[in-house]
């Protein structure tokens, strides 16, 4: 297990229509995270950065797409996505990070 700094664990919020619906219905948020990050590291990073209580963390490995262009075939990098479920009374604001 690699020791990562909390700001290196969370790369960026993953914003999509599916994630917006999950946020409204079940208080879930998605992040692009470091490929070597683990569930406990993700939980700790979210709790420290956003000052919330995490109920559950689910991880999904996303395979990079294969694209064809004028130079030939190019493969995008693989990445990891984490769905973070918060306690029912809490909310997460991406823009208000202190």
């Amino acid at each position: 297990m690699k020791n990562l700094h909390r700001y290196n664990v969370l790369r960026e919020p993953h914003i999509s229509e599916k994630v917006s619906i999950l946020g409204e219905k079940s208080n879930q948020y998605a992040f692009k995270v470091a490929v070597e990050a683990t569930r406990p590291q993700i939980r700790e990073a979210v709790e420290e950065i956003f000052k919330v209580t995490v109920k559950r963390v689910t991880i999904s490995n996303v395979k990079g797409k294969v694209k064809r262009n004028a130079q030939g075939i190019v493969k995008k990098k693989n990445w990891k996505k984490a769905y973070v479920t918060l306690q029912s009374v809490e909310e997460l604001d991406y823009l208000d990070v202190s």
Side-chain angles (χ1 to χ4, degrees):
M1 180 166 82
K2 192 171 182 181
N3 194 7
L4 295 170
H5 190 270
R6 64 178 177 239
Y7 288 108
N8 291 334
V9 172
L10 299 179
R11 301 283 188 214
E12 61 187 63
H14 182 70
I15 301 170
S16 67
E17 188 174 353
K18 177 184 174 182
V19 174
S20 298
I21 293 169
L22 283 174
E24 293 171 4
K25 286 188 177 179
S26 59
N27 209 17
Q28 275 188 337
Y29 300 91
F31 293 94
K32 290 182 181 180
V33 297
V35 177
E36 58 273 355
T38 62
R39 282 186 176 94
Q41 289 174 334
I42 295 168
R43 173 187 296 269
E44 183 180 320
V46 171
E47 287 178 346
E48 287 183 21
I49 293 171
F50 295 105
K51 309 286 190 278
V52 294
T53 306
V54 175
K55 186 176 180 182
R56 187 173 78 188
V57 176
T58 307
I59 296 176
S60 173
N61 289 312
V62 181
K63 292 188 177 181
K65 293 183 178 182
V66 177
K67 299 281 188 168
R68 186 176 304 176
N69 59 17
Q71 288 79 25
I73 297 174
V74 178
K75 184 180 180 296
K76 301 282 184 168
K77 287 185 175 182
N78 298 337
W79 55 286
K80 189 181 270 191
K81 180 172 27 175
Y83 290 101
V84 178
T85 306
L86 302 180
Q87 297 293 338
S88 60
V89 296
E90 295 183 321
E91 218 174 82
L92 191 120
D93 187 13
Y94 298 124
L95 301 176
D96 186 34
V97 178
S98 52

